[in-house]
Amino acid sequence: MNNIVSDKELCDIAIDIQKNAYAPYSDFRVGAALLCSDGTVYTGVNIENASYGATVCAERCAIFKAVSEGRKDLVKIAITSSSGDFTMPCGMCRQVMTEFMPDGEVIVTNGKEIKNYKVSELMPFGFVL
Ligand code: THU
């Protein structure tokens, strides 16, 4: 079910979509690719704003696109950035992952190597109501 798109393919999609990041303030461009259980991929980029707090991260962009389309089967999300290093999701994105993909996986790539984590290990004791 989750093997329709390989981790490498998901990372390549994240790397490709990074070109659409809107990051004129930080110049730190992030791309994300979120896989659902049937193989559907939702992409996301960071979208900054002159009012900095209105910025949305690439991960939440992708997750909100999927959730807004009615998806409840979020499996894994790949993340890449313009830093050339591995970019780990911020705390707010980890909390959102806890909400919508608590059993899911996070894949980070620096463009050469891939690292895999469980959402639950990146966000132990996340807030739940
Ligand atoms: N950013 C993301 O999109 N995802 C992360 O995991 C870390 C941070 C964005 C937010 C902001 O546009 C820029 O990177 C610098 O913080």
Side-chain angles (χ1 to χ4, degrees), residues 21 28 30-32 43-48 52-65 77 79 87-94 97:
F28 189 92
V30 186
T43 57
V45 296
N46 57 325
I47 303 171
E48 298 185 344
Y52 297 165
T55 292
V56 67
C57 291
E59 298 91 321
R60 276 176 292 140
C61 177
I63 293 168
F64 292 160
K65 281 168 71 177
I77 185 166
I79 306 161
T87 292
M88 300 300 294
C90 77
M92 196 180 286
C93 289
R94 293 180 197 204
M97 289 172 193

PDB file of all heavy atoms in Angstrom, residues 21 28 30-32 43-48 52-65 77 79 87-94 97:
ATOM      1  N   ALA A  21       8.918  27.468  -3.529  1.00  0.00           N
ATOM      2  CA  ALA A  21       8.926  28.105  -2.205  1.00  0.00           C
ATOM      3  C   ALA A  21       8.921  29.625  -2.373  1.00  0.00           C
ATOM      4  O   ALA A  21       9.554  30.171  -3.289  1.00  0.00           O
ATOM      5  CB  ALA A  21      10.161  27.668  -1.424  1.00  0.00           C
ATOM      6  N   PHE A  28      15.467  30.776   2.747  1.00  0.00           N
ATOM      7  CA  PHE A  28      15.578  29.368   3.142  1.00  0.00           C
ATOM      8  C   PHE A  28      14.388  28.658   2.520  1.00  0.00           C
ATOM      9  O   PHE A  28      13.250  28.783   2.997  1.00  0.00           O
ATOM     10  CB  PHE A  28      15.559  29.278   4.679  1.00  0.00           C
ATOM     11  CG  PHE A  28      15.883  27.915   5.234  1.00  0.00           C
ATOM     12  CD1 PHE A  28      17.185  27.574   5.574  1.00  0.00           C
ATOM     13  CD2 PHE A  28      14.872  26.977   5.458  1.00  0.00           C
ATOM     14  CE1 PHE A  28      17.482  26.324   6.109  1.00  0.00           C
ATOM     15  CE2 PHE A  28      15.159  25.725   5.993  1.00  0.00           C
ATOM     16  CZ  PHE A  28      16.465  25.408   6.323  1.00  0.00           C
ATOM     17  N   VAL A  30      12.102  25.538   1.340  1.00  0.00           N
ATOM     18  CA  VAL A  30      11.776  24.187   1.810  1.00  0.00           C
ATOM     19  C   VAL A  30      10.728  23.570   0.881  1.00  0.00           C
ATOM     20  O   VAL A  30       9.812  24.252   0.426  1.00  0.00           O
ATOM     21  CB  VAL A  30      11.243  24.220   3.259  1.00  0.00           C
ATOM     22  CG1 VAL A  30      11.049  22.800   3.798  1.00  0.00           C
ATOM     23  CG2 VAL A  30      12.182  25.008   4.166  1.00  0.00           C
ATOM     24  N   GLY A  31      10.900  22.277   0.608  1.00  0.00           N
ATOM     25  CA  GLY A  31       9.915  21.527  -0.168  1.00  0.00           C
ATOM     26  C   GLY A  31       9.486  20.302   0.613  1.00  0.00           C
ATOM     27  O   GLY A  31      10.294  19.689   1.326  1.00  0.00           O
ATOM     28  N   ALA A  32       8.234  19.946   0.496  1.00  0.00           N
ATOM     29  CA  ALA A  32       7.715  18.754   1.173  1.00  0.00           C
ATOM     30  C   ALA A  32       6.841  17.963   0.210  1.00  0.00           C
ATOM     31  O   ALA A  32       6.197  18.532  -0.681  1.00  0.00           O
ATOM     32  CB  ALA A  32       6.913  19.152   2.415  1.00  0.00           C
ATOM     33  N   THR A  43       2.017  18.046  -2.373  1.00  0.00           N
ATOM     34  CA  THR A  43       3.259  18.787  -2.183  1.00  0.00           C
ATOM     35  C   THR A  43       3.015  20.019  -1.330  1.00  0.00           C
ATOM     36  O   THR A  43       1.879  20.498  -1.203  1.00  0.00           O
ATOM     37  CB  THR A  43       3.841  19.216  -3.540  1.00  0.00           C
ATOM     38  OG1 THR A  43       2.857  19.991  -4.229  1.00  0.00           O
ATOM     39  CG2 THR A  43       4.253  18.006  -4.366  1.00  0.00           C
ATOM     40  N   GLY A  44       4.108  20.541  -0.793  1.00  0.00           N
ATOM     41  CA  GLY A  44       4.025  21.781  -0.030  1.00  0.00           C
ATOM     42  C   GLY A  44       5.337  22.530  -0.092  1.00  0.00           C
ATOM     43  O   GLY A  44       6.401  21.928  -0.308  1.00  0.00           O
ATOM     44  N   VAL A  45       5.253  23.842   0.070  1.00  0.00           N
ATOM     45  CA  VAL A  45       6.457  24.682   0.156  1.00  0.00           C
ATOM     46  C   VAL A  45       6.254  25.684   1.276  1.00  0.00           C
ATOM     47  O   VAL A  45       5.114  25.942   1.692  1.00  0.00           O
ATOM     48  CB  VAL A  45       6.721  25.441  -1.167  1.00  0.00           C
ATOM     49  CG1 VAL A  45       7.020  24.475  -2.303  1.00  0.00           C
ATOM     50  CG2 VAL A  45       5.551  26.358  -1.523  1.00  0.00           C
ATOM     51  N   ASN A  46       7.341  26.252   1.758  1.00  0.00           N
ATOM     52  CA  ASN A  46       7.168  27.324   2.734  1.00  0.00           C
ATOM     53  C   ASN A  46       6.742  28.593   2.010  1.00  0.00           C
ATOM     54  O   ASN A  46       7.226  28.914   0.916  1.00  0.00           O
ATOM     55  CB  ASN A  46       8.413  27.536   3.593  1.00  0.00           C
ATOM     56  CG  ASN A  46       9.676  27.836   2.819  1.00  0.00           C
ATOM     57  OD1 ASN A  46       9.890  27.320   1.723  1.00  0.00           O
ATOM     58  ND2 ASN A  46      10.542  28.651   3.390  1.00  0.00           N
ATOM     59  N   ILE A  47       5.796  29.276   2.621  1.00  0.00           N
ATOM     60  CA  ILE A  47       5.243  30.502   2.048  1.00  0.00           C
ATOM     61  C   ILE A  47       5.347  31.582   3.116  1.00  0.00           C
ATOM     62  O   ILE A  47       4.634  31.535   4.128  1.00  0.00           O
ATOM     63  CB  ILE A  47       3.776  30.295   1.611  1.00  0.00           C
ATOM     64  CG1 ILE A  47       3.682  29.129   0.610  1.00  0.00           C
ATOM     65  CG2 ILE A  47       3.232  31.581   0.987  1.00  0.00           C
ATOM     66  CD1 ILE A  47       2.263  28.696   0.285  1.00  0.00           C
ATOM     67  N   GLU A  48       6.273  32.507   2.891  1.00  0.00           N
ATOM     68  CA  GLU A  48       6.545  33.537   3.896  1.00  0.00           C
ATOM     69  C   GLU A  48       5.657  34.753   3.673  1.00  0.00           C
ATOM     70  O   GLU A  48       4.948  34.858   2.669  1.00  0.00           O
ATOM     71  CB  GLU A  48       8.037  33.906   3.852  1.00  0.00           C
ATOM     72  CG  GLU A  48       8.916  32.710   4.197  1.00  0.00           C
ATOM     73  CD  GLU A  48      10.386  33.016   4.292  1.00  0.00           C
ATOM     74  OE1 GLU A  48      10.813  34.090   3.810  1.00  0.00           O
ATOM     75  OE2 GLU A  48      11.105  32.169   4.850  1.00  0.00           O
ATOM     76  N   TYR A  52       5.868  38.357   9.492  1.00  0.00           N
ATOM     77  CA  TYR A  52       6.579  37.067   9.546  1.00  0.00           C
ATOM     78  C   TYR A  52       5.764  35.920  10.137  1.00  0.00           C
ATOM     79  O   TYR A  52       5.865  34.780   9.698  1.00  0.00           O
ATOM     80  CB  TYR A  52       7.893  37.208  10.339  1.00  0.00           C
ATOM     81  CG  TYR A  52       8.901  38.147   9.728  1.00  0.00           C
ATOM     82  CD1 TYR A  52       9.975  38.605  10.499  1.00  0.00           C
ATOM     83  CD2 TYR A  52       8.804  38.585   8.411  1.00  0.00           C
ATOM     84  CE1 TYR A  52      10.916  39.475   9.960  1.00  0.00           C
ATOM     85  CE2 TYR A  52       9.740  39.465   7.868  1.00  0.00           C
ATOM     86  CZ  TYR A  52      10.792  39.905   8.649  1.00  0.00           C
ATOM     87  OH  TYR A  52      11.717  40.760   8.124  1.00  0.00           O
ATOM     88  N   GLY A  53       4.956  36.245  11.149  1.00  0.00           N
ATOM     89  CA  GLY A  53       4.187  35.201  11.829  1.00  0.00           C
ATOM     90  C   GLY A  53       3.139  34.547  10.939  1.00  0.00           C
ATOM     91  O   GLY A  53       2.604  33.489  11.282  1.00  0.00           O
ATOM     92  N   ALA A  54       2.859  35.149   9.802  1.00  0.00           N
ATOM     93  CA  ALA A  54       1.862  34.584   8.883  1.00  0.00           C
ATOM     94  C   ALA A  54       2.477  33.528   7.974  1.00  0.00           C
ATOM     95  O   ALA A  54       1.782  32.928   7.151  1.00  0.00           O
ATOM     96  CB  ALA A  54       1.230  35.696   8.050  1.00  0.00           C
ATOM     97  N   THR A  55       3.773  33.305   8.139  1.00  0.00           N
ATOM     98  CA  THR A  55       4.470  32.301   7.324  1.00  0.00           C
ATOM     99  C   THR A  55       3.945  30.903   7.624  1.00  0.00           C
ATOM    100  O   THR A  55       3.633  30.573   8.775  1.00  0.00           O
ATOM    101  CB  THR A  55       5.982  32.360   7.637  1.00  0.00           C
ATOM    102  OG1 THR A  55       6.492  33.597   7.147  1.00  0.00           O
ATOM    103  CG2 THR A  55       6.739  31.202   7.010  1.00  0.00           C
ATOM    104  N   VAL A  56       3.872  30.083   6.574  1.00  0.00           N
ATOM    105  CA  VAL A  56       3.546  28.668   6.791  1.00  0.00           C
ATOM    106  C   VAL A  56       4.708  27.824   6.290  1.00  0.00           C
ATOM    107  O   VAL A  56       5.317  28.119   5.257  1.00  0.00           O
ATOM    108  CB  VAL A  56       2.220  28.274   6.112  1.00  0.00           C
ATOM    109  CG1 VAL A  56       2.312  28.328   4.595  1.00  0.00           C
ATOM    110  CG2 VAL A  56       1.787  26.880   6.555  1.00  0.00           C
ATOM    111  N   CYS A  57       5.035  26.795   7.041  1.00  0.00           N
ATOM    112  CA  CYS A  57       6.107  25.873   6.657  1.00  0.00           C
ATOM    113  C   CYS A  57       5.628  24.947   5.529  1.00  0.00           C
ATOM    114  O   CYS A  57       4.421  24.709   5.355  1.00  0.00           O
ATOM    115  CB  CYS A  57       6.515  25.002   7.840  1.00  0.00           C
ATOM    116  SG  CYS A  57       7.351  25.869   9.169  1.00  0.00           S
ATOM    117  N   ALA A  58       6.585  24.383   4.841  1.00  0.00           N
ATOM    118  CA  ALA A  58       6.293  23.474   3.727  1.00  0.00           C
ATOM    119  C   ALA A  58       5.499  22.254   4.197  1.00  0.00           C
ATOM    120  O   ALA A  58       4.580  21.791   3.509  1.00  0.00           O
ATOM    121  CB  ALA A  58       7.599  23.021   3.081  1.00  0.00           C
ATOM    122  N   GLU A  59       5.848  21.735   5.372  1.00  0.00           N
ATOM    123  CA  GLU A  59       5.187  20.531   5.874  1.00  0.00           C
ATOM    124  C   GLU A  59       3.713  20.785   6.135  1.00  0.00           C
ATOM    125  O   GLU A  59       2.840  20.002   5.753  1.00  0.00           O
ATOM    126  CB  GLU A  59       5.849  20.065   7.191  1.00  0.00           C
ATOM    127  CG  GLU A  59       7.300  19.681   7.057  1.00  0.00           C
ATOM    128  CD  GLU A  59       8.260  20.828   7.311  1.00  0.00           C
ATOM    129  OE1 GLU A  59       7.970  21.971   6.879  1.00  0.00           O
ATOM    130  OE2 GLU A  59       9.310  20.593   7.918  1.00  0.00           O
ATOM    131  N   ARG A  60       3.417  21.899   6.818  1.00  0.00           N
ATOM    132  CA  ARG A  60       2.005  22.191   7.107  1.00  0.00           C
ATOM    133  C   ARG A  60       1.250  22.534   5.835  1.00  0.00           C
ATOM    134  O   ARG A  60       0.065  22.215   5.702  1.00  0.00           O
ATOM    135  CB  ARG A  60       1.892  23.303   8.151  1.00  0.00           C
ATOM    136  CG  ARG A  60       2.002  22.771   9.571  1.00  0.00           C
ATOM    137  CD  ARG A  60       1.981  23.875  10.586  1.00  0.00           C
ATOM    138  NE  ARG A  60       3.192  24.677  10.493  1.00  0.00           N
ATOM    139  CZ  ARG A  60       3.238  25.989  10.605  1.00  0.00           C
ATOM    140  NH1 ARG A  60       2.128  26.672  10.804  1.00  0.00           N
ATOM    141  NH2 ARG A  60       4.379  26.625  10.533  1.00  0.00           N
ATOM    142  N   CYS A  61       1.915  23.177   4.907  1.00  0.00           N
ATOM    143  CA  CYS A  61       1.288  23.465   3.608  1.00  0.00           C
ATOM    144  C   CYS A  61       0.809  22.157   2.973  1.00  0.00           C
ATOM    145  O   CYS A  61      -0.356  22.043   2.563  1.00  0.00           O
ATOM    146  CB  CYS A  61       2.304  24.178   2.717  1.00  0.00           C
ATOM    147  SG  CYS A  61       1.743  24.534   1.049  1.00  0.00           S
ATOM    148  N   ALA A  62       1.665  21.168   2.930  1.00  0.00           N
ATOM    149  CA  ALA A  62       1.312  19.872   2.305  1.00  0.00           C
ATOM    150  C   ALA A  62       0.216  19.167   3.104  1.00  0.00           C
ATOM    151  O   ALA A  62      -0.751  18.642   2.524  1.00  0.00           O
ATOM    152  CB  ALA A  62       2.553  18.992   2.206  1.00  0.00           C
ATOM    153  N   ILE A  63       0.361  19.154   4.424  1.00  0.00           N
ATOM    154  CA  ILE A  63      -0.619  18.453   5.267  1.00  0.00           C
ATOM    155  C   ILE A  63      -1.987  19.117   5.152  1.00  0.00           C
ATOM    156  O   ILE A  63      -3.021  18.438   5.019  1.00  0.00           O
ATOM    157  CB  ILE A  63      -0.134  18.401   6.738  1.00  0.00           C
ATOM    158  CG1 ILE A  63       1.103  17.507   6.859  1.00  0.00           C
ATOM    159  CG2 ILE A  63      -1.249  17.917   7.665  1.00  0.00           C
ATOM    160  CD1 ILE A  63       1.828  17.610   8.194  1.00  0.00           C
ATOM    161  N   PHE A  64      -2.018  20.445   5.155  1.00  0.00           N
ATOM    162  CA  PHE A  64      -3.303  21.138   5.077  1.00  0.00           C
ATOM    163  C   PHE A  64      -3.948  20.954   3.702  1.00  0.00           C
ATOM    164  O   PHE A  64      -5.182  20.889   3.599  1.00  0.00           O
ATOM    165  CB  PHE A  64      -3.134  22.625   5.411  1.00  0.00           C
ATOM    166  CG  PHE A  64      -2.780  22.888   6.860  1.00  0.00           C
ATOM    167  CD1 PHE A  64      -2.202  24.086   7.244  1.00  0.00           C
ATOM    168  CD2 PHE A  64      -3.018  21.935   7.848  1.00  0.00           C
ATOM    169  CE1 PHE A  64      -1.882  24.335   8.578  1.00  0.00           C
ATOM    170  CE2 PHE A  64      -2.701  22.175   9.182  1.00  0.00           C
ATOM    171  CZ  PHE A  64      -2.128  23.386   9.549  1.00  0.00           C
ATOM    172  N   LYS A  65      -3.135  20.885   2.668  1.00  0.00           N
ATOM    173  CA  LYS A  65      -3.703  20.599   1.348  1.00  0.00           C
ATOM    174  C   LYS A  65      -4.406  19.236   1.366  1.00  0.00           C
ATOM    175  O   LYS A  65      -5.525  19.085   0.877  1.00  0.00           O
ATOM    176  CB  LYS A  65      -2.607  20.616   0.272  1.00  0.00           C
ATOM    177  CG  LYS A  65      -2.203  22.019  -0.158  1.00  0.00           C
ATOM    178  CD  LYS A  65      -0.935  22.022  -0.990  1.00  0.00           C
ATOM    179  CE  LYS A  65      -1.103  21.450  -2.383  1.00  0.00           C
ATOM    180  NZ  LYS A  65       0.168  21.556  -3.159  1.00  0.00           N
ATOM    181  N   ILE A  77       5.943  11.823   5.046  1.00  0.00           N
ATOM    182  CA  ILE A  77       6.215  13.123   4.442  1.00  0.00           C
ATOM    183  C   ILE A  77       7.723  13.289   4.266  1.00  0.00           C
ATOM    184  O   ILE A  77       8.494  13.033   5.205  1.00  0.00           O
ATOM    185  CB  ILE A  77       5.597  14.269   5.277  1.00  0.00           C
ATOM    186  CG1 ILE A  77       5.785  15.625   4.579  1.00  0.00           C
ATOM    187  CG2 ILE A  77       6.135  14.303   6.701  1.00  0.00           C
ATOM    188  CD1 ILE A  77       4.917  16.736   5.162  1.00  0.00           C
ATOM    189  N   ILE A  79      10.957  15.788   3.326  1.00  0.00           N
ATOM    190  CA  ILE A  79      11.289  17.204   3.504  1.00  0.00           C
ATOM    191  C   ILE A  79      12.693  17.464   2.978  1.00  0.00           C
ATOM    192  O   ILE A  79      13.633  16.691   3.253  1.00  0.00           O
ATOM    193  CB  ILE A  79      11.256  17.590   5.006  1.00  0.00           C
ATOM    194  CG1 ILE A  79       9.922  17.211   5.636  1.00  0.00           C
ATOM    195  CG2 ILE A  79      11.543  19.075   5.188  1.00  0.00           C
ATOM    196  CD1 ILE A  79       9.975  17.121   7.166  1.00  0.00           C
ATOM    197  N   THR A  87      17.029  18.963   6.939  1.00  0.00           N
ATOM    198  CA  THR A  87      16.170  19.918   7.639  1.00  0.00           C
ATOM    199  C   THR A  87      15.087  19.155   8.379  1.00  0.00           C
ATOM    200  O   THR A  87      14.279  18.446   7.770  1.00  0.00           O
ATOM    201  CB  THR A  87      15.548  20.920   6.639  1.00  0.00           C
ATOM    202  OG1 THR A  87      16.597  21.750   6.137  1.00  0.00           O
ATOM    203  CG2 THR A  87      14.488  21.788   7.300  1.00  0.00           C
ATOM    204  N   MET A  88      15.082  19.311   9.690  1.00  0.00           N
ATOM    205  CA  MET A  88      14.099  18.632  10.520  1.00  0.00           C
ATOM    206  C   MET A  88      12.875  19.532  10.705  1.00  0.00           C
ATOM    207  O   MET A  88      13.009  20.753  10.744  1.00  0.00           O
ATOM    208  CB  MET A  88      14.712  18.308  11.890  1.00  0.00           C
ATOM    209  CG  MET A  88      15.943  17.416  11.830  1.00  0.00           C
ATOM    210  SD  MET A  88      15.613  15.811  11.079  1.00  0.00           S
ATOM    211  CE  MET A  88      14.494  15.107  12.286  1.00  0.00           C
ATOM    212  N   PRO A  89      11.685  18.944  10.805  1.00  0.00           N
ATOM    213  CA  PRO A  89      10.486  19.769  10.960  1.00  0.00           C
ATOM    214  C   PRO A  89      10.472  20.534  12.278  1.00  0.00           C
ATOM    215  O   PRO A  89      10.960  20.042  13.301  1.00  0.00           O
ATOM    216  CB  PRO A  89       9.345  18.746  10.912  1.00  0.00           C
ATOM    217  CG  PRO A  89       9.962  17.434  11.222  1.00  0.00           C
ATOM    218  CD  PRO A  89      11.381  17.512  10.752  1.00  0.00           C
ATOM    219  N   CYS A  90       9.921  21.735  12.253  1.00  0.00           N
ATOM    220  CA  CYS A  90       9.835  22.561  13.459  1.00  0.00           C
ATOM    221  C   CYS A  90       8.799  21.970  14.425  1.00  0.00           C
ATOM    222  O   CYS A  90       8.023  21.085  14.067  1.00  0.00           O
ATOM    223  CB  CYS A  90       9.471  23.999  13.091  1.00  0.00           C
ATOM    224  SG  CYS A  90       7.721  24.243  12.702  1.00  0.00           S
ATOM    225  N   GLY A  91       8.772  22.493  15.630  1.00  0.00           N
ATOM    226  CA  GLY A  91       7.874  21.967  16.654  1.00  0.00           C
ATOM    227  C   GLY A  91       6.408  22.089  16.279  1.00  0.00           C
ATOM    228  O   GLY A  91       5.606  21.190  16.554  1.00  0.00           O
ATOM    229  N   MET A  92       6.059  23.203  15.640  1.00  0.00           N
ATOM    230  CA  MET A  92       4.644  23.392  15.276  1.00  0.00           C
ATOM    231  C   MET A  92       4.221  22.356  14.234  1.00  0.00           C
ATOM    232  O   MET A  92       3.121  21.792  14.317  1.00  0.00           O
ATOM    233  CB  MET A  92       4.437  24.817  14.741  1.00  0.00           C
ATOM    234  CG  MET A  92       3.001  25.249  14.698  1.00  0.00           C
ATOM    235  SD  MET A  92       2.808  26.939  14.074  1.00  0.00           S
ATOM    236  CE  MET A  92       3.391  27.892  15.464  1.00  0.00           C
ATOM    237  N   CYS A  93       5.099  22.080  13.285  1.00  0.00           N
ATOM    238  CA  CYS A  93       4.778  21.064  12.269  1.00  0.00           C
ATOM    239  C   CYS A  93       4.710  19.675  12.896  1.00  0.00           C
ATOM    240  O   CYS A  93       3.878  18.851  12.508  1.00  0.00           O
ATOM    241  CB  CYS A  93       5.794  21.093  11.138  1.00  0.00           C
ATOM    242  SG  CYS A  93       5.629  22.560  10.088  1.00  0.00           S
ATOM    243  N   ARG A  94       5.569  19.413  13.873  1.00  0.00           N
ATOM    244  CA  ARG A  94       5.516  18.110  14.559  1.00  0.00           C
ATOM    245  C   ARG A  94       4.182  17.946  15.277  1.00  0.00           C
ATOM    246  O   ARG A  94       3.608  16.857  15.323  1.00  0.00           O
ATOM    247  CB  ARG A  94       6.686  17.982  15.545  1.00  0.00           C
ATOM    248  CG  ARG A  94       8.024  17.914  14.834  1.00  0.00           C
ATOM    249  CD  ARG A  94       9.181  17.793  15.805  1.00  0.00           C
ATOM    250  NE  ARG A  94      10.432  18.135  15.139  1.00  0.00           N
ATOM    251  CZ  ARG A  94      11.624  17.723  15.506  1.00  0.00           C
ATOM    252  NH1 ARG A  94      11.759  16.944  16.566  1.00  0.00           N
ATOM    253  NH2 ARG A  94      12.708  18.090  14.842  1.00  0.00           N
ATOM    254  N   MET A  97       1.664  17.128  12.698  1.00  0.00           N
ATOM    255  CA  MET A  97       1.835  15.717  12.304  1.00  0.00           C
ATOM    256  C   MET A  97       1.213  14.792  13.346  1.00  0.00           C
ATOM    257  O   MET A  97       0.603  13.768  13.010  1.00  0.00           O
ATOM    258  CB  MET A  97       3.323  15.392  12.135  1.00  0.00           C
ATOM    259  CG  MET A  97       3.958  16.033  10.922  1.00  0.00           C
ATOM    260  SD  MET A  97       5.748  15.785  10.948  1.00  0.00           S
ATOM    261  CE  MET A  97       6.255  16.942   9.668  1.00  0.00           C
TER     262      MET A  97
END
